[in-house]
Amino acid sequence: MIDVPAISVQRTATIRDALLKLDQAAFGMLLVLEPDGTFERTVTDGDIRRLLLQGCGMDDSLKRLPKIKSFVLEDGYTQESALALMNKCVINHLPVIDAQRRVIKVLDRKELDEKILLSTPHMGSWEREFVDEAFKTNWIAPLGPNVDAFEREVAEYVGIDHAAALTSGTAAIHLALIMLGVRAGDTVFCSSLTFAASANPIAYQGAEPVFIDSEPESWNMSPVALENAFQYAIANGKKPKAVIVVNLYGQSADIDSIADICKRYDVPIVEDAAESLGARYKGKASGSFGVMGVYSFNGNKIITTSGGGMLVSDNEEFIRQARFLSTQARDPALHYEHTQIGYNYRMSNILAGVGRGQIRVLNERVASRRRVNERYREGLLGCEQLTWMPEPEWSYSTHWLTACTVTSTKSGLNSLDIIKKLAGDHIEARPVWKPMHMQPVFRQCRSFNHGDHSVSQTLFEDGICLPSGSNMTDAQQDRIIDAIKKIVAES
Ligand SMILES: *Cc1c(COP(=O)(O)O)cnc(C)c1O
């Protein structure tokens, strides 16, 4: 932030004073104020140079500066309108004045240009060492020591016996379904409130997804809706082959209640923990509850390999099979022999090196994201229209994304208005996932609600995800908090 008094002068100041101030502020511009403190015009290095060339001395005052009308912004501007004016006038700084023409602040193009994104990669200090090691040993391909080590390290972190490093979380879900025997004509239950990658692999297998609503307590799979879905399935003689339980935005689903139901119907759980690596349910790692668990290292996730995923299981056979299927299903033979359809889903040794660096800072990343969540809640305490995604007492969420819902204000301000206004301030906020049962591509699929209406639909309609990166600075977050306060206050 630019210190306004440090760059303010009056016309009584000498050229020497003005040059000293310009020199100290190292900003290239001063504000000329009227005797009553209101804004008159700006003055630059160039303006002073011209005064000197006109014959003024160092001890002459600024009285001979011509009267001009400098460009200013009035309070209530957006980042976009400010940038547009700067571009139009080809300037890099703009004073912002209040109704009394007093300068509140001066905008700097460098700060305005900065976009705050939802969740960006955050590298630590180890990644390059592991990647360099791969280069030094020319272990670029095939599979190698980084892959083996990364699998061990993730398995150890989450307390699961075995892990297979893959090209993506989606690939991990796909292989899990293949190994559970999901094929054309089968059904698979899946959380509705999720990213499409949770459900797409069901379709890859030619099977039918059945979507299960959220419960309000955790925003994750509703045990009530799940029970209803099972009863319908049994009554119609078609038990699902698997249940994909998604852990949303870094928070585990209520796994015990869900697992009880699945156990009763004897159907295996695949835990989609793509968004919840580092989270815990009743003290145990998220992703470790199903017969198989899935993590993602996509660029926006809490740790990233730029793209990648991991399938984990206590069942060694599943993981052995996943490694086999993900490397084109090559049978042991000197020539190339295949008895099954295979896939090219294995993680490279280079990317696994990035992952090894990232897993070392995972706990720090979790702490940072939790802190971001805490700062939002504190900073926006007065905004009663916002209701934060709850964190039940059994949950230790990573708050991969901080999410809230907006109760429409009297003036009708809703979540989309806030998202659009934040975009005007170069802040990327997003709606909550659009539930799968509302997606055109899945419109023919059956879905089950938590109660008499769809909780996930309401969360989508009212929900916002705020920028939550572990590398976001306090100043950036304060900018977001101020912007939201302003939007809500003006509504
Ligand atoms: C990101 C994500 C995936 C897919 O992971 P990729 O590594 O991008 O394939 C699956 N499910 C959920 C809930 C996700 O957020």
Side-chain angles (χ1 to χ4, degrees):
M1 274 298 235
I2 296 146
D3 182 15
V4 172
I7 57 163
S8 299
V9 290
Q10 293 197 0
R11 278 190 179 260
T12 48
T14 61
I15 290 182
R16 185 188 310 279
D17 295 336
L19 282 173
L20 276 171
K21 273 209 159 170
L22 274 170
D23 198 45
Q24 274 165 11
F27 187 59
M29 185 198 88
L30 297 178
L31 307 168
V32 182
L33 304 185
E34 305 280 8
D36 66 357
T38 59
F39 177 71
E40 186 205 327
R41 59 162 289 176
T42 56
V43 54
T44 63
D45 285 323
D47 294 321
I48 306 266
R49 189 184 334 120
R50 279 182 285 278
L51 285 180
L52 291 171
L53 287 171
Q54 284 162 22
C56 288
M58 290 291 271
D59 295 313
D60 288 332
S61 72
L62 299 176
K63 289 230 162 62
R64 280 177 63 185
L65 267 181
K67 283 259 175 200
I68 56 159
K69 213 169 152 0
S70 297
F71 291 100
V72 287
L73 275 173
E74 282 171 24
D75 205 13
Y77 68 92
T78 64
Q79 309 277 118
E80 267 183 359
S81 63
L83 268 177
L85 186 60
M86 283 183 184
N87 290 338
K88 197 175 123 217
C89 312
V90 200
I91 50 177
N92 293 323
H93 300 110
L94 262 178
V96 180
I97 55 167
D98 64 13
Q100 283 77 45
R101 281 193 72 77
R102 277 173 207 282
V103 178
I104 308 166
K105 59 182 164 185
V106 178
L107 299 179
D108 183 351
R109 177 189 290 272
K110 279 201 295 291
E111 287 169 24
L112 285 181
D113 267 338
E114 179 195 71
K115 281 201 168 72
I116 308 179
L117 300 174
L118 201 64
S119 177
T120 59
H122 185 181
M123 291 296 116
S125 45
W126 292 86
E127 292 82 355
R128 288 204 177 190
E129 273 182 48
F130 293 119
V131 173
D132 273 353
E133 183 63 26
F135 273 80
K136 270 189 223 130
T137 54
N138 198 33
W139 219 318
I140 309 301
L143 291 158
N146 278 336
V147 174
D148 298 337
F150 187 37
E151 289 177 346
R152 270 199 314 276
E153 288 162 4
V154 170
E156 214 162 279
Y157 182 92
V158 295
I160 299 179
D161 291 344
H162 309 282
L166 303 169
T167 46
S168 69
T170 313
I173 298 172
H174 189 195
L175 292 183
L177 296 184
I178 292 169
M179 290 185 286
L180 293 175
V182 174
R183 54 176 91 77
D186 288 337
T187 57
V188 174
F189 290 178
C190 180
S191 305
S192 189
L193 189 60
T194 185
F195 179 50
S198 306
N200 281 339
I202 304 170
Y204 299 167
Q205 288 306 99
E208 272 283 300
V210 171
F211 294 113
I212 313 295
D213 198 11
S214 296
E215 54 161 14
E217 290 78 10
S218 66
W219 293 19
N220 280 309
M221 184 180 278
S222 153
V224 178
L226 180 66
E227 178 65 43
N228 289 342
F230 267 117
Q231 285 180 10
Y232 179 92
I234 299 300
N236 288 272
K238 198 162 184 193
K239 220 162 73 164
K241 274 279 175 66
V243 177
I244 300 175
V245 180
V246 177
N247 304 306
L248 203 64
Y249 300 142
Q251 171 154 284
S252 174
D254 180 7
I255 283 286
D256 278 353
S257 311
I258 292 167
D260 276 352
I261 298 169
C262 292
K263 205 168 167 192
R264 191 150 33 80
Y265 290 101
D266 193 25
V267 174
I269 292 175
V270 174
E271 211 187 339
D272 180 352
E275 301 178 4
S276 64
L277 178 59
R280 293 197 287 271
Y281 174 79
K282 298 185 180 172
K284 193 165 174 271
S286 180
S288 67
F289 292 89
V291 292
M292 285 174 264
V294 170
Y295 299 113
S296 166
F297 310 111
N298 190 38
N300 60 352
K301 298 301 198 299
I302 194 157
I303 61 169
T304 181
T305 58
S306 79
M310 189 83 74
L311 186 76
V312 295
S313 180
D314 281 329
N315 183 332
E316 185 173 9
E317 183 50 28
F318 279 140
I319 299 304
R320 198 195 57 73
Q321 185 77 357
R323 291 188 184 129
F324 169 75
L325 290 172
S326 64
T327 49
Q328 310 284 23
R330 290 197 302 261
D331 293 334
L334 194 55
H335 60 275
Y336 287 94
E337 179 88 0
H338 305 275
T339 46
Q340 277 185 73
I341 296 296
Y343 300 85
N344 187 2
Y345 277 174
R346 203 72 161 109
M347 182 181 279
S348 88
N349 198 51
I350 300 279
L351 298 191
V354 179
R356 292 187 71 192
Q358 287 271 283
I359 192 86
R360 278 163 176 70
V361 292
L362 175 55
N363 284 338
E364 285 167 49
R365 300 296 182 260
V366 172
S368 304
R369 298 225 183 210
R370 284 185 63 88
R371 182 166 176 274
V372 164
N373 179 269
E374 223 174 271
R375 290 190 86 246
Y376 274 127
R377 285 165 182 261
E378 277 169 19
L380 294 166
L381 210 56
C383 294
E384 284 155 13
Q385 296 89 339
L386 307 183
T387 309
W388 302 99
M389 177 177 178
E391 189 174 2
E393 92 285 349
W394 40 255
S395 167
Y396 178 81
S397 171
T398 65
H399 292 292
W400 169 58
L401 294 185
T402 286
C404 64
T405 53
V406 181
T407 318
S408 268
T409 55
K410 275 193 231 88
S411 64
L413 181 86
N414 61 27
S415 57
L416 270 189
D417 297 328
I418 297 183
I419 291 169
K420 284 182 197 155
K421 287 189 183 193
L422 287 175
D425 280 335
H426 287 192
I427 295 165
E428 183 192 29
R430 291 285 183 106
V432 161
W433 297 126
K434 180 174 181 175
M436 290 306 113
H437 75 273
M438 294 172 69
Q439 297 288 353
V441 70
F442 292 125
R443 71 185 160 269
Q444 79 288 0
C445 300
R446 197 170 288 284
S447 66
F448 289 86
N449 285 348
H450 174 72
D452 51 15
H453 73 288
S454 166
V455 172
S456 54
Q457 180 171 349
T458 309
L459 291 172
F460 164 61
E461 284 164 357
D462 298 340
I464 299 184
C465 296
L466 295 173
S468 308
S470 47
N471 48 4
M472 187 164 62
T473 63
D474 284 359
Q476 287 177 319
Q477 197 181 3
D478 291 341
R479 210 182 99 196
I480 302 168
I481 291 171
D482 288 344
I484 295 174
K485 274 190 194 158
K486 207 167 106 187
I487 293 166
V488 172
E490 281 167 3
S491 74

